Amino acid sequence: MKFLNPLILSGLAVAVAAPALSAEVNIYSYRQPELVQPLFDEFTRETGIGVNVVFLKKGLIEKLQAEGRRSPADLVLTVDISRLQNIVDAGVTQPVDSAVLKANIPAEYRAADDQWFGLTARARVVYASKERVKDGEITTYEDLASDKWQGRICTRSGTNSYNLALTSAMIVHHGEAATKDWLLGLKSNLARRPQGNDRAQVKAIFAGECDIAIGNNYYMKKMLAKPEQRPWADAVRIVFPVFEGGGTHMNLAGVALTKAAPHKADAIKLMEWLSDTKAQEIYAEQNGEYPLKPGSKPSALVASWGEFNRDTIPLTEVAKLRPVSLRLVEEVNFDE
Ligand code: FE
């Protein structure tokens, strides 16, 4: 799949094999083919509804806007609450009023106005050196600002979406002033200027540059799968910090129905199918994240990293606070 031109509809093979397929759903996806194709293959097998996916690296909103009412796309798939909210704010989606989606997806993982729905969630965890960090040494996000971590923490840019969402969640829990102090404390504990992606921080732990790093949980799965990155993964264990008075910060991979949606009924059928246990577990297995429907389980690998309590603040709130978080990160010159 990787080598397909992104404009080639990946459902083509299905359509050729089964020319009787008339029903279909078209998707614009920021998620890579290997993560979502197993889902759509199973959906087509069960329902006979074809799924065509256009994989994009950027420009999804512009594409939908340019196509307007004639857009062939029914659904958009992406990650990160801010990206989902951007798509909604651009006016290219429509709400879905579905009792199935509401029953399957906890309220904090879907938009209050039904414009987007989470499908799986990723935890923003701490990667801790197996050698240099004892069990129980870090248990909260607030603790990242404590003096004992002086010169021991690595992180990517404070303006990165994952970190902005974490900062926004901190504001929801403790307010703006306390969050600014937290950012200052965290900054003063950094072993080096914020740089690189989440995996680069784990590499830095492996290299001895720092002892703990902030990162999304699924990168552990990705590192374990790459021989050259496996030693980085082996140097750390995952810790699930919580907010004082809350749980572990979650972000999401989600879906929204486009405003144009030429196959609206089947698209909603697919959305509902994606929220049910089987699809939840297939997707979570592929992406190393956590399913959202109560009772559905993460993969054995992901489960092996431990159990934890998810934070339950609505991600709608997190999305709203992004501009405030960005301002605070700039006020403290976090990346300097
Ligand atoms: Fe990521």
Side-chain angles (χ1 to χ4, degrees), residues 31 79 122 156 162 198-199 216 218-219 222 289:
R31 301 231 80 182
V79 294
R122 57 273 299 280
R156 73 196 302 170
Y162 302 156
D198 278 1
R199 271 180 277 189
N216 286 351
Y218 55 82
Y219 287 114
K222 291 190 175 217
E289 298 184 22

Side-chain angles (χ1 to χ4, degrees), residues 221 281 284-285 288-289 291 297-304:
K221 173 176 155 71
E281 292 186 355
E285 167 92 40
E289 298 184 22
K297 303 228 174 347
S299 70
L301 173 69
V302 172
S304 75

